Amino acid sequence: MRLGLVIDLDVCVGCHACAVACKEWNASGTTAPMTDYQPYGAEPSGVWFNRIRHYEVGEYPNSKTINFPMSCMHCEDADCVTVCPTGASYKRAEDGIVLVDQTKCMGCNYCSWACPYGARELDRESGTMKKCTLCVDRIYDLKIPVEERQPACVNTCPAHARMFGDFDDPNSAVSIEVRERGGYALLPELGYNPTNQYLPVRKAKPIPTENLGKPGFKEKLKGFANRIVKR
């Protein structure tokens, strides 16, 4: 079994609900709480397993904002595991999830440097490395209804941009979506074979601009003012 996520970039709206749900669920659990620094202070910060980047692609008026969630990719050939000097970072044989044994981690940062996805964060308070666990303490919890035994980020996504499943099963929903939508992994040239996959943004129909007409007096005046006003 090889568990992982599929993220549909065409659907993700960048609302950060996945990151907040991740934070909330992992405030307690298998790998210890995700620490917050000054949570009620002027500059709150802390450890996050999931972060969302935003990119602008294309040229106006056909440009588009891409929201790009990133977390641990649970690579098949994970260098973060290879470089760990204490054996704290390990990959589970039964489901492919990469975890960190908090009792063995000494916070040397080797795994962070080896990860090209920036998926690991050093908890300054505990001195240990933290990362996405795919909510391993949730997906196997028999007390939780079957339909809710998914990572918190998947359960909470209001746009249904996230899917969770077994990539070793060719008939699973995640395998079918990746096959039919041309899903891809990040930085395949590195040879880490990330489990998590992304579905590409669908091509949008160009917005016609040739019939917009000439600018009126108001637009001309606004353009003139913009030219003379020093910004």
Side-chain angles (χ1 to χ4, degrees):
M1 187 160 61
R2 186 164 56 96
L3 298 178
L5 300 173
V6 169
I7 299 171
D8 190 343
L9 298 179
D10 196 51
V11 176
C12 179
V13 295
C15 67
H16 292 244
C18 54
V20 175
C22 169
K23 187 80 172 174
E24 188 277 332
W25 177 260
N26 288 289
S28 61
T30 299
T31 62
M34 288 198 293
T35 303
D36 285 326
Y37 313 126
Q38 302 181 26
Y40 304 107
E43 297 181 357
S45 183
V47 178
W48 294 80
F49 292 172
N50 185 32
R51 292 184 183 272
I52 296 91
R53 275 78 172 178
H54 308 280
Y55 303 95
E56 193 75 11
V57 298
E59 301 257 342
Y60 177 82
N62 298 312
S63 57
K64 182 179 177 63
T65 299
I66 304 296
N67 305 296
F68 212 106
M70 289 188 70
S71 58
C72 174
M73 301 290 166
H74 299 280
C75 302
E76 289 187 71
D77 301 308
D79 251 15
C80 59
V81 173
T82 305
V83 302
C84 181
T86 66
S89 288
Y90 64 102
K91 186 173 179 65
R92 292 167 36 125
E94 62 268 36
D95 53 21
I97 298 176
V98 176
L99 295 175
V100 179
D101 185 337
Q102 297 294 304
T103 65
K104 294 180 179 179
C105 181
M106 61 180 185
C108 66
N109 272 303
Y110 280 4
C111 60
S112 177
W113 298 334
C115 175
Y117 308 107
R120 292 182 171 240
E121 292 202 25
L122 180 67
D123 186 330
R124 299 200 303 267
E125 290 198 352
S126 67
T128 58
M129 197 59 67
K130 302 288 180 65
K131 63 177 286 301
C132 164
T133 67
L134 272 183
C135 290
V136 68
D137 54 336
R138 178 185 181 90
I139 60 178
Y140 290 112
D141 190 343
L142 300 181
K143 297 177 183 175
I144 296 177
V146 175
E147 64 274 14
E148 296 180 15
R149 289 180 207 161
Q150 303 185 89
C153 60
V154 176
N155 269 335
T156 199
C157 180
H160 303 291
R162 288 172 168 262
M163 298 178 68
F164 168 72
D166 179 12
F167 285 89
D168 272 349
D169 178 3
N171 297 316
S172 68
V174 289
S175 296
I176 292 173
E177 282 292 317
V178 169
R179 193 165 56 244
E180 294 184 350
R181 289 276 309 278
Y184 62 91
L186 292 187
L187 301 175
E189 64 273 20
L190 297 180
Y192 296 160
N193 297 321
T195 299
N196 288 3
Q197 303 283 307
Y198 290 86
L199 301 182
V201 176
R202 294 178 177 87
K203 289 186 178 178
K205 197 172 182 180
I207 300 174
T209 57
E210 60 274 14
N211 297 323
L212 292 179
K214 295 182 179 179
F217 176 76
K218 185 177 178 181
E219 286 73 23
K220 289 180 179 177
L221 181 62
K222 187 176 179 181
F224 175 74
N226 282 337
R227 285 195 296 275
I228 62 174
V229 173
K230 188 175 182 181
R231 295 176 182 275

